[in-house]
Amino acid sequence: MMKRLNLPILLIFLLTLMFAQFPTSASTTELFISEYIEGSSYNKAIEIYNGTGAAVDLSAYTLALYSNGAASPSQSMALSGSLNDGDVYVIAHGSAVQEILDAADLTNNSVINFNGDDALVLSKEGTIIDAFGQVGTDPGYFWGSGDVTTQNHTLSRKSEICSGDTNETDAFDPALEWVAFPEDTFDGLGAHTADCNGAADSAPVVQTTIPANAAADVALDANIEITFSEAVDVGEGWFDISCDSSGNHTAAVSGGPTTYTLDPDADFVNNESCTISVFAAQVTDQDEDDPPDVMVENFSFEFGVIDVPSVADNVIINEVDADTPGTDSAEFIELYDGGEGN
């Protein structure tokens, strides 16, 4: 005689089996910029990704352009409509090629009129949820180096990035979060994948640094900021500061658990180059879902030091000619610049 199965036990077994075979994917918490196109002529576009797990009303969002190092928006636009989970919203310049326009949800010729040295900020009801570039800083022609720059490239957000950069003024190195493609590459526009399943279990990485890698104008008394992708614990000897003239530096460490500030024991030397190294074995994450994950590989970045004399230190009042009462003689003040080479 066949025994009857206990229905509650059977149900629990089936649910357990289902979730073991088909794990759910973690969602992102907010929209973020997923693709940036700065191509030839007016081939320009921005793609925004929704991985939140639900449709999002875009009327609460604004995209702003900060041109040539501006600290306030040069142009801005309000978004509209609804964006489904897993979908993207593409804004293109109206004079872009048809391949871009075919993928676009909206055209705009003011905000989507950037070059490699312009920053973009995505906000929700006035709160910044993602920034591309560094607001208030003009990098010259572009941010980045080598084959990963913000000029004449298509940049796609790396699939492991699951949130935007909410600090619009921090240093920006596109190689940390973006994959670069040659100029006028459009075949990825209109779709994005964020692999956020198990994001809490991934190993930490260095996300940004101040100064940025290859910076050439770092002050003699500058501090160093290192920001990780998640909260971390750092062990003894987790960093090294080595300069070609002033040698090795120790430093006082403050901040954490995500951003750590290093205050070197002595000032740097004018016109020297320095290298900062972060040792992977001494950096572990703090999440509680798994045993601590150690950084996979060491990280290093370099910068140049330069002493820029303050104008206030060198310019003095050399002569004053005040008007004599009862005369029409001209008044003037003569300034003298005592700076080197002036």
Side-chain angles (χ1 to χ4, degrees):
M1 176 175 158
M2 184 178 293
K3 293 184 179 180
R4 296 172 61 187
L5 292 175
N6 185 295
L7 185 58
I9 294 177
L10 178 61
L11 181 60
I12 292 173
F13 172 77
L14 291 174
L15 288 172
T16 302
L17 180 62
M18 180 180 70
F19 283 109
Q21 291 179 337
F22 305 105
T24 57
S25 296
S27 297
T28 62
T29 58
E30 256 300 352
L31 307 184
F32 59 81
I33 299 170
S34 52
E35 188 157 330
Y36 163 96
I37 295 178
E38 204 287 304
S40 61
S41 186
Y42 291 110
N43 292 336
K44 305 174 189 294
I46 290 294
E47 179 188 272
I48 298 170
Y49 172 71
N50 176 17
T52 63
V56 170
D57 180 4
L58 294 176
S59 63
Y61 294 83
T62 301
L63 183 66
L65 172 69
Y66 293 72
S67 299
N68 303 322
S72 56
S74 308
Q75 303 285 343
S76 64
M77 59 177 293
L79 306 187
S80 61
S82 179
L83 182 60
N84 291 330
D85 176 49
D87 200 359
V88 296
Y89 190 79
V90 177
I91 311 167
H93 192 284
S95 297
V97 295
Q98 193 61 44
E99 187 176 353
I100 292 178
L101 296 178
D102 287 344
D105 296 283
L106 181 69
T107 59
N108 180 283
N109 293 356
S110 56
V111 174
I112 312 301
N113 194 27
F114 45 79
N115 293 308
D117 61 346
D118 302 323
L120 293 148
V121 170
L122 180 65
S123 301
K124 179 182 180 181
E125 297 175 339
T127 299
I128 293 173
I129 60 172
D130 198 7
F132 182 93
Q134 184 178 7
V135 170
T137 297
D138 188 342
Y141 294 103
F142 51 79
W143 283 281
S145 60
D147 294 328
V148 187
T149 72
T150 55
Q151 184 183 55
N152 301 333
H153 282 105
T154 290
L155 300 180
S156 178
R157 209 74 175 255
K158 294 180 179 180
S159 61
E160 65 266 28
I161 302 301
C162 298
S163 61
D165 178 6
T166 58
N167 182 355
E168 79 282 13
T169 61
D170 62 357
F172 183 69
D173 180 359
L176 297 177
E177 293 193 1
W178 300 82
V179 179
F181 298 92
E183 184 180 32
D184 291 337
T185 301
F186 314 130
D187 54 359
L189 187 65
H192 181 72
T193 300
D195 184 13
C196 299
N197 184 39
D201 297 335
S202 60
V205 296
V206 175
Q207 197 164 48
T208 60
T209 64
I210 300 178
N213 184 41
D217 56 353
V218 177
L220 273 62
D221 60 351
N223 288 345
I224 298 155
E225 287 188 11
I226 300 174
T227 299
F228 295 91
S229 58
E230 58 181 309
V232 298
D233 292 319
V234 293
E236 184 176 355
W238 67 276
F239 68 90
D240 177 78
I241 305 174
S242 178
C243 302
D244 56 16
S245 293
S246 57
N248 291 335
H249 292 255
T250 60
V253 179
S254 60
T258 303
T259 299
Y260 288 84
T261 300
L262 310 181
D263 183 1
D265 58 351
D267 286 354
F268 301 119
V269 174
N270 190 29
N271 292 325
E272 71 173 346
S273 296
C274 297
T275 300
I276 312 296
S277 299
V278 176
F279 300 115
Q282 302 302 318
V283 179
T284 57
D285 66 19
Q286 292 185 356
D287 64 64
E288 299 177 354
D289 296 332
D290 60 322
D293 286 316
V294 180
M295 279 182 63
V296 174
E297 57 185 0
N298 295 342
F299 177 88
S300 64
F301 61 102
E302 301 177 351
F303 57 84
V305 179
I306 187 169
D307 183 16
V308 180
S310 169
V311 173
D313 293 338
N314 298 319
V315 177
I316 61 173
I317 297 175
N318 189 53
E319 186 175 349
V320 177
D321 185 7
D323 208 7
T324 303
T327 71
D328 292 326
S329 61
E331 299 176 352
F332 67 85
I333 296 177
E334 180 181 276
L335 301 179
Y336 172 71
D337 183 358
E340 295 182 5
N342 296 310

